[in-house]
Amino acid sequence: MPFTPTKETYSGKIYTVAVGKDSGMITLGGENVLPFHTFDGLLPNRPVVAYEIQDSPPDDWPDEVLSPYADVVNSPVLWAKYCQDTLMAQAIALRLAGTHPDRANRSPEDAAQTVKDVLSSVDIPVIILGSNHAEKDASVLVAAAEAAKDRNCIIGKAQEANYKTIAAAAMANNHKLIAMSELDINLSKQLNILISQMGFEKERIIIDPMCSALGYGLEYTYSVMERIRLAALAQNDLTMQQPILGDVGIYVWKVKETQASETDVPQWGNLKERSVAWEAVTAVSLLLAGAELLIMRHPKSSDAVRKVIEELT
Amino acid sequence: MLVIGEKLSIIAKRVREAMMKRDKSPIQDIAISQWKAGAGMIDANIGPAEDGGEALMQWMITTIQEAVPLPVCLDTTNYRAIDAGLTVHNNQWGRPLINSTSNDPERFPMLELAAKYHSQIIGLTVGKGGLPADAEERAAIAAEIMARAAESGVPLEDLYLDPLVLQIATSQDHALKVVKAVRMFQELNDPPMKTVVGLSNISNGCPKHVRPIMNNYLLSLLIYEGLTAAIADPHEVSQTVKTIDVILGNTLYAHSYLEM
């Protein structure tokens, strides 16, 4: 008797979200199976790695991750082009970190100009992120969304404290929206409901359940992502069927494992390899939990993750 | 759980008048209102409809399905009306449900209609000899209906067993027997048999303010026992259905779960 493997089928399906314009457009989601379970059903679109760039030279990136970008960090435009043309990025995440009141405190107008400059220099989709200061983001992201009008970007992050303003700006300027909640599946669902009750289509949301680095609570992020995906597929929960974002780099490149030298901690081995591996392992774990979009920093770990994606799809 | 909207019944004066005058708008307003409140099917109760039942059932089904994308539960004792109704039912929105067959020989032919039109059907666990005494008797009748369904070519997954909810005011001891019957019905087959109740009968005869309370609490017990469907007022029971779904882990909790 021939062996017929059992297929897991689900009633739910992840929304298909297209980002960007024309030839640079990418599509996220669309699958009706658990991550990489291509043997069970449809996985029409591969997960995407977006390369993070910043509006002003980062002052908190360790050398290991800053050095590959040493020639371009002073110019977001050059940095963006470098990611697109040299690193062959499929997407860029422009983090407007310089707008944070504790950093350069750049104005929304300045940030909007940076957004315009970057958008006019690349064809690939751009994710526009604030500085994760709920109050300042509300004004910065409104200006950024207007500056990027009709470029079909992803704007974020909308949180409980500021979602109304940011969602309205994303809606008015035809963008997708990242809805971020803090490691709590019920709050994640609640935020999606609140945003869709404003009239923002739930099919235009990207879920960010909040990331964390390997060794620093990654299992919480993993578990929340996994449960979101099961609610979407197995329970056919219409409020949880959006693609999921893993904002990896920002969490990985601040932990001591990506910074301590081999001289200081000999048993941890070579810093170059270790730090790249730390980001890659964190990212791949989240892919397995259900993330479709990753924001990463180091070119080598990004490359490694893209290879894993290719091999698994 | 499937809520079958009960509001299009000939017992209601407004509905009866609309039926007699063939006035579509009240019928469609009620259908839309029930659909928006969460009904997954609309019951069309035209009573015995001795005269002109065929035309009336056809008109009801067409009128309802013009307004809402839902299947209809054809609720009448008139065989010819159900036969006629099934010819116009739009299965694009889901398969119809015949209400009902039972252990009364007069209701046996309803199973032929279910087989002929590939319709679902309710099996009311009563016979000609009066009301069932307890859960066990209901289950015994259910088994007979199941055997007859199988003979008639109706798949058991298309049969919804109805334990017959009685009035709490006159038959208090039957409430718990109904709950037990819903549990027992499921054990009669693997996969479990589907079950349905005419919920609001429990509070028939109760003071008006008591009725929704009685209906909702009984419903929560029945859902816990695995009830598949209830003929009920979706406006009245939607909070119970959603809340029990959250408690049972069928839907993910969020603060606004009642609004979804």
Side-chain angles (χ1 to χ4, degrees), chain A residues 12 35 38 43 74 80 145 166 170-171 180 201 233 246 255 269 287 292:
Chain A
T38 48
L43 201 145
N74 289 307
I166 298 172
M171 188 154 49
M180 190 189 84
E201 292 170 64
L233 297 177
V255 306
L287 286 177
E292 277 93 357

Side-chain angles (χ1 to χ4, degrees), chain A:
Chain A
M1 209 172 98
F3 172 69
T4 320
T6 309
K7 278 193 176 193
E8 284 289 342
T9 54
Y10 299 99
S11 47
K13 189 176 166 192
I14 306 308
Y15 300 130
T16 302
V17 181
V19 194
K21 280 284 187 197
D22 308 324
S23 61
M25 187 180 272
I26 55 165
T27 309
L28 303 168
E31 69 269 28
N32 64 356
V33 291
L34 291 174
F36 304 110
H37 286 209
T38 48
F39 41 82
D40 280 338
L42 295 172
L43 201 145
N45 300 296
R46 286 178 168 168
V48 169
V49 175
Y51 288 61
E52 176 173 347
I53 69 171
Q54 298 205 346
D55 60 332
S56 51
D59 56 10
D60 58 349
W61 287 28
D63 280 347
E64 287 306 326
V65 67
L66 198 58
S67 57
Y69 302 110
D71 297 336
V72 294
V73 287
N74 289 307
S75 157
V77 168
L78 292 179
W79 196 348
K81 286 173 84 77
Y82 176 72
C83 292
Q84 174 184 273
D85 301 334
T86 307
L87 301 178
M88 311 306 285
Q90 296 164 277
I92 287 170
L94 168 61
R95 196 184 304 275
L96 300 164
T99 61
H100 197 285
D102 300 338
R103 296 275 292 273
N105 200 16
R106 298 180 72 223
S107 68
E109 295 71 31
D110 284 354
Q113 190 57 50
T114 305
V115 168
K116 274 188 188 152
D117 294 345
V118 168
L119 281 171
S120 60
S121 65
V122 292
D123 304 316
I124 54 177
V126 177
I127 302 162
I128 302 168
L129 303 168
S131 62
N132 207 21
H133 184 282
E135 202 177 318
K136 183 73 183 278
D137 277 2
S139 55
V140 167
L141 290 174
V142 167
E146 282 167 10
K149 186 171 177 61
D150 294 330
R151 284 292 298 263
N152 194 18
C153 298
I154 299 176
I155 304 285
K157 300 167 180 177
Q159 308 179 41
E160 194 185 353
N162 61 13
Y163 74 89
K164 282 186 183 160
T165 329
I166 298 172
M171 188 154 49
N173 298 288
N174 297 317
H175 298 301
K176 308 301 190 291
L177 180 72
I178 300 169
M180 190 189 84
S181 46
E182 299 192 351
L183 279 177
D184 184 302
I185 186 170
N186 306 103
L187 293 181
S188 173
K189 174 168 176 170
Q190 178 66 8
L191 184 57
N192 286 356
I193 294 172
L194 293 174
I195 290 172
S196 48
Q197 282 176 341
M198 288 176 61
F200 192 92
E201 292 170 64
K202 60 184 183 306
E203 295 85 356
R204 298 170 66 90
I205 296 174
I206 309 282
I207 300 177
D208 179 0
M210 191 177 219
C211 196
S212 42
L214 174 64
Y216 295 83
L218 178 63
E219 53 275 43
Y220 290 93
T221 301
Y222 189 101
S223 171
V224 172
M225 282 188 183
E226 194 179 36
R227 288 162 58 210
I228 288 175
R229 193 40 45 92
L230 286 170
L233 297 177
Q235 297 185 333
N236 196 16
D237 190 325
L238 302 180
T239 64
M240 295 260 82
Q241 288 175 338
Q242 296 85 358
I244 301 176
L245 164 70
D247 193 359
V248 173
I250 189 171
Y251 288 93
V252 166
W253 293 99
K254 66 182 180 192
V255 306
K256 61 181 181 294
E257 285 81 354
T258 58
Q259 301 182 38
S261 72
E262 196 173 351
T263 328
D264 293 341
V265 198
Q267 67 272 30
W268 283 4
N270 181 278
L271 172 61
K272 252 187 194 358
E273 284 177 26
R274 186 206 318 141
S275 57
V276 166
W278 216 265
E279 185 173 34
V281 169
T282 302
V284 170
S285 304
L286 298 183
L287 286 177
L288 297 178
E292 277 93 357
L293 177 62
L294 299 167
I295 298 175
M296 299 184 63
R297 288 184 175 173
H298 202 291
K300 280 190 177 166
S301 44
S302 306
D303 263 352
V305 171
R306 291 170 69 176
K307 280 205 187 76
V308 170
I309 293 170
E310 272 175 40
E311 283 172 19
L312 288 180
T313 49

Side-chain angles (χ1 to χ4, degrees), chain B residues 100-105 107-108 122-127 141 145 148:
Chain B
S100 57
T101 188
S102 75
N103 230 16
D104 177 348
R107 303 273 170 275
F108 292 175
I122 293 175
L124 190 62
T125 57
V126 294
I141 296 172
I145 295 173
R148 204 172 301 116

